Amino acid sequence: MKLTIDGKTVSAREGETILDCALRHDISIPHLCTHSALPPFGACRLCLVEIEGMRGYPTSCTTPAEDGMVVRTDTEALGGLRRNILSLIMLEHPSACLVCAKRELCDQYRPEAEKAGRTTGCHTCNNKEICDVRVMAEEFGLSELPVPPIYHERPVERSNPFIDRDLNLCILCGRCVRICRHHQEMTAIDFIGRGSKTRIGEAFGRSPYEAGCQFCGACVDVCPTGSLCDRYAKWRGRPERRTATTCLFCNAACALELQSSGGELIGAKAVDETTPICVLGRFAIPEFLYGAGRLRVPVVRADGSLRETQWKEAIEAAAEKLRPYVGSGFALVCDTTSTLQDRYIFRKFAREVMRSENFVEIEPDARGASRVELPPGTKAALLTGDFVDAGQLEPLELLIVQDCYPTPASEHADIVLPVALFPEVDGTLMDVSGRERPLRKACEPPGQARPEWWIVAEIAKAMGAEGFAYDSVATISREVGKSTAELLTERDEAPPAATDVKRRRAYFRGHRIDEKVPGLRELPLDDAPASARRVGVEAESAGGFRIVQKREVAPNIHEIVIEAPGIAKKAQPGQFVIVMVDETSERAPYTLSDWDAEEGTITLVVLEVGHSSRKLTVLREGDRVAHLAGPLGIPAEVDRLGTVVVAGGCYGIGAIIPIARAMREAGNRVIGIVEARSHYLHYFGQKLEAICDELIQTAIDGSMPTKGHAADVIGEKLRAGEKVDRVVVIGCPFMMMLVARETQPFRVKTLAALNSIMLDGTGMCGACRVSVGGKTKFACVDGPFFDAHLIDWDELFTRRRAYAAHEVRAVGRTESVALHACEAHGAGAAR
Amino acid sequence: MANAKRRNVSEVEQIVGRYGGERSSLIPILQDLQESFGYLSEDAVDDLARRIGVSPNEIFGVATFYAQFRFRPPGEHTVRVCLGTACHVRGGHQILEEVERRLDTKAGGTSADRKFDLERVACVGCCALAPVVVVDGKVHAGMTPRKVSPLLSRYGKREESKDA
């Protein structure tokens, strides 16, 4: 079958669509809703083509290729149609960053996405680096939107313990619905409602678990936007490494792609997108690896207590203590979640070194539990997990445990050795049908944890045994090759793998998986009562400072009024406070947006953009923040200067108000210039209108009468010869830097408020160090206002990123805390 | 309650049986269910889902596409406020607002005491009488916001006893 696409004669396969045929021949046709794992759908309409003899513009993803067809994919008419279609898609997808004129500069200064609560543009989107919509918009060179975008103001849904759903980004391509329908007998989601109210959801507002979700995560993997995301991996960006390996949680041994960055595991997904994997493989692995209490250092009991030590000493101690039991009373217990190589070494060690036939290998049951009784007469045991009841351990003369987490056995042991878990090691394992599957190392083990074979081989060598000089898994494999059959035949018939979330495995080597993976506790097993253990929300203390009022004035921007009479009495324009939400919180600075000495309250405008601000913004009226220090910083210098421009962006729109007011009262003509990505991110318009002689609200995406950044407006005014005597700017460093660049050539004195990372706020710690005119200044005591033309912006950006990696880890934790806090308040999960 | 549930189940079975349990008959089945129970309850949808092998989510997705299906028990009386062209220009919106205020529910909702369903309609075909409110099929002509309260009390709406 031959057809012509764009003048090129190509051969098509039987039943192939025009799109598939074109892509196979390297002819690109834009497409969004189509996905390689899914049947054709024809929803996004981007893949329109012209076909000779056919009316209209058929979608190439649904039209089968036919012999003799003449197809054109790249005509002017098609280009226009596609642009219009994409523009319409962008209208309901926060798109300001895509049409922003300063996109490249922004990416250069702020490569990582901001960890906002709700995504309002690529710059606050966790999916920034892998977004199909973004790629498409860039390909089309879309530089403006025909009409203002619509933001649906939907809350981020967090009733799924592993997936965040932000429907404000959803383009309704239906990939998630379709993959769910494909993977699961009973789809867990569907399109709900109709027309502009259509959304993805569950029947009757049920939680995903109630609605039958199996948590295979396929919907996240196929989502072309940031609407659906794996909460754990959310802000970790594109993984540096992808490793094809095998899941070891059960003997279904699903093929997994493990994703890691900087040696740390960040996520997992099915290698084969057409077959679902279970919740454990998809979502549980990183948290299971990095759960609290993971054993990292070898420990040896000395004088009754356990003492951390080095491998050399631990191995020597083990060898010495084991020696008396050679040929008498030694047992080694493992289960089949150890690799074939590990188990081979265990067996060889037990037989050849310890001369014991008591090599016990347990096949976990359907729940993953592995319990066994020690062989009679056991005096010394080496356990590789929590397999034996405590009562049986009591009489032992020697107990060596090599494991990943503490257990009653490890508490009782003479020596505890930390092991690397399956994503951290190479090897092979046997699946349910007896085939050998590869395990490949995808990330680094924590601390000094080592592969199991290595530990036992070292002990063997220390006991003077020959034949344990392995330097890698490969050397063991060569030896195992001969005896694989032996390992195989001794296996009992294995229980079937459970992809059903209610019948998943609950244990791994005797450890309850949900102890390390809190999200699993919200998905009860069918034979266990709902373990309603929830992260406790700390009891409200009477101390601290009470939140009197709180509202989200624009997506991610919260106005918080706090009772703080002492601060309210002393506050002056431009000053800030340092807030600690609870006793162990980060100390974060926030500019005072207003205060009322009579009422004894202060007002903060807080941008929800990371761990600490999230903790603050999930509080409710009546809640308390633990500590509040202020007013801090040198107040803004207010004089009669003539014409003053006050510029604000994000939280700065609120923070600029006291300065605008004071400048006006001092007799200045005040021009307020405030910027936001899009019209729906503006707030306090009326308040500013009342204070400013002239107010210009700009939107970067052109959805307000004035398009562009505040810096653009200031630049235009200056170039037009307008006299400006002072500029005061509050916003993100990027915005302030842009303003500084515009005013510098005109030598208009520009003051920028720097809220760099702070700790004590008294000039002692130096964390808030900034370079201004070549001199080191502390933002907390010398600031917050500095001459914007003298600030070393590049250094400031670098210093702000100092804790980016820690922040990403912390933010995942707050998101679950935030959810629990909401539930504890009886608000239920966001539906 | 248990009785009611059993009744539901047997009726779902009957209705599904009428259509041979075909998933392609989903919409007529839903229509019959609604006629029988007055609305599509969670229990009925779950039961139907089991019988025809379609996920409740999918059924809900289909049902929410159509304005004709409702998911909460209907109120005793149906109040339809007309916002067709004639009623619109003669102040239909103020009347709707007043009804919404009195019943403390938005158009499309049901009052908390389940006495009234409130619907917004676009022309009931008696424009000469605009603005009109239709209660249980009876047209009330020449409505004003002031006439709303007396009208509702005629159908058993108790006067605002907004208990503290």
Side-chain angles (χ1 to χ4, degrees), chain A residues 568-680:
Chain A
K569 214 182 289 174
K570 298 257 172 84
Q572 288 183 62
Q575 288 190 301
F576 63 94
V577 293
I578 286 184
V579 177
M580 272 178 87
V581 177
D582 58 42
E583 291 297 337
T584 55
S585 294
E586 180 191 7
R587 299 166 60 94
Y590 300 100
T591 309
L592 287 164
S593 162
D594 208 348
W595 53 90
D596 187 328
E598 264 171 46
E599 292 284 321
T601 59
I602 58 167
T603 304
L604 309 177
V605 172
V606 177
L607 178 68
E608 184 184 343
V609 76
H611 178 63
S612 296
S613 53
R614 182 83 35 91
K615 265 171 105 170
L616 180 54
T617 55
V618 296
L619 295 181
R620 289 152 175 263
E621 289 174 9
D623 288 349
R624 287 163 186 276
V625 296
H627 298 290
L628 196 57
L632 297 169
I634 301 169
E637 173 197 334
V638 177
D639 271 322
R640 184 160 185 171
L641 301 157
T643 300
V644 176
V645 167
V646 291
C650 291
Y651 72 94
I653 298 178
I656 203 79
I657 285 180
I659 294 163
R661 195 182 285 137
M663 286 291 188
R664 179 84 176 278
E665 280 165 9
N668 295 294
R669 190 174 109 80
V670 174
I671 305 174
I673 303 175
V674 288
E675 71 168 44
R677 239 171 251 135
S678 192
H679 64 99
Y680 59 86

Side-chain angles (χ1 to χ4, degrees), chain A residues 187 190-191 193-194 203 206 211, chain B residues 42 46 55 57-58 61 64-65:
Chain A
T187 170
D190 208 331
F191 293 103
R194 172 169 68 163
R206 289 171 177 165
Chain B
E42 287 198 44
D46 285 347
S55 150
N57 303 299
E58 203 172 336
T64 52
F65 185 84

Side-chain angles (χ1 to χ4, degrees), chain A residues 197-218:
Chain A
K197 293 203 168 72
T198 310
R199 55 182 206 89
I200 304 298
E202 293 82 9
F204 300 104
R206 289 171 177 165
S207 74
Y209 179 80
E210 292 166 333
C213 179
Q214 297 300 322
F215 304 89
C216 70

Side-chain angles (χ1 to χ4, degrees), chain B residues 30-47:
Chain B
L30 289 173
Q31 284 168 328
D32 286 8
L33 279 177
Q34 174 146 312
E35 197 171 304
S36 184
F37 302 123
Y39 73 111
L40 300 176
S41 68
E42 287 198 44
D43 283 343
V45 168
D46 285 347
D47 190 16

Side-chain angles (χ1 to χ4, degrees), chain A residues 16 132 145 167 238 249 328 437 496 601 711 742 745 766:
Chain A
E16 195 173 34
D132 292 0
L145 298 172
L167 293 177
R238 190 202 293 268
F249 271 129
S328 104
R437 294 280 186 87
T601 59
E742 292 290 339

